[in-house]
Amino acid sequence: VDVLNPAVAPLVIATNPPTDGIAVLPMSTMTITFDQEMFVGTEGDTNSVLHANNYLLEGAVIGEVSIEDVIYIETADRVHLLTGQLFSDIYTLTVRSTVASLDQISMEEDYVTTFTAVQDFSAFVDVQFDRVRSHRADDVVSWDVTLQNTSDFDLVLPVMLILDPADGYPGIPQN
């Protein structure tokens, strides 16, 4: 007897932010990707991928963070967790084993991942400014910026580069 598609317990195959990664704030969405289609049911079904209690987000300092909404993208087997504003902290995200596949098979164990959320990640990158260009008639100076990750962690993009001119400088960055 050949078994072509055996029913097996679902697995988490990816998260964003990634395990042990560094996420730059502001951030209020995390994603979890499963290896197969998940049971949707309703928000009241305790094994539904939409049931917010199947997910726990805790900061080491600030404690539990409320999961405000869960959105499931069936075509990608991906969940988007929406939270309120996060603050700089080390976070642990747990996907509880009660969440089930389309075949109603629950995960074998909780999936746990951690990441660090930072407001300022300048300590983790090397910033280089190249190809300075000046257009004196428009009072515009522009350049290319290269960021190199110098940490042992993945940095989650996008990032925002804030230019803070020295005191007494009348110009402000544009565009």
Side-chain angles (χ1 to χ4, degrees), residues 24-30 57 59 62-68 81-89 91 115 117-119:
V24 180
L25 299 174
M27 180 184 81
S28 60
T29 303
M30 283 147 281
L57 180 62
I62 66 168
E64 188 172 339
V65 176
S66 174
I67 305 294
E68 295 180 0
L81 299 180
L82 306 177
T83 66
Q85 179 182 1
L86 297 182
F87 299 95
S88 295
D89 205 342
Y91 289 92
F115 64 92
V118 296
Q119 195 74 12

Side-chain angles (χ1 to χ4, degrees), residues 92-164:
T92 301
L93 173 63
T94 303
V95 180
R96 293 196 170 111
S97 62
T98 49
V99 69
S101 69
L102 184 63
D103 295 323
Q104 296 287 321
I105 299 173
S106 295
M107 292 177 37
E108 291 181 355
E109 61 187 8
D110 288 355
Y111 176 86
V112 180
T113 183
T114 59
F115 64 92
T116 302
V118 296
Q119 195 74 12
D120 175 8
F121 77 125
S122 59
F124 304 108
V125 296
D126 180 28
V127 181
Q128 294 181 352
F129 295 90
D130 297 311
R131 296 183 33 168
V132 176
R133 297 168 301 280
S134 175
H135 193 272
R136 191 172 290 278
D138 293 333
D139 286 333
V140 173
V141 177
S142 62
W143 55 89
D144 295 338
V145 179
T146 303
L147 300 176
Q148 181 180 359
N149 182 356
T150 59
S151 74
D152 294 331
F153 304 101
D154 292 333
L155 298 177
V156 179
L157 300 176
V159 298
M160 180 185 308
L161 177 63
I162 298 175
L163 301 175
D164 188 7

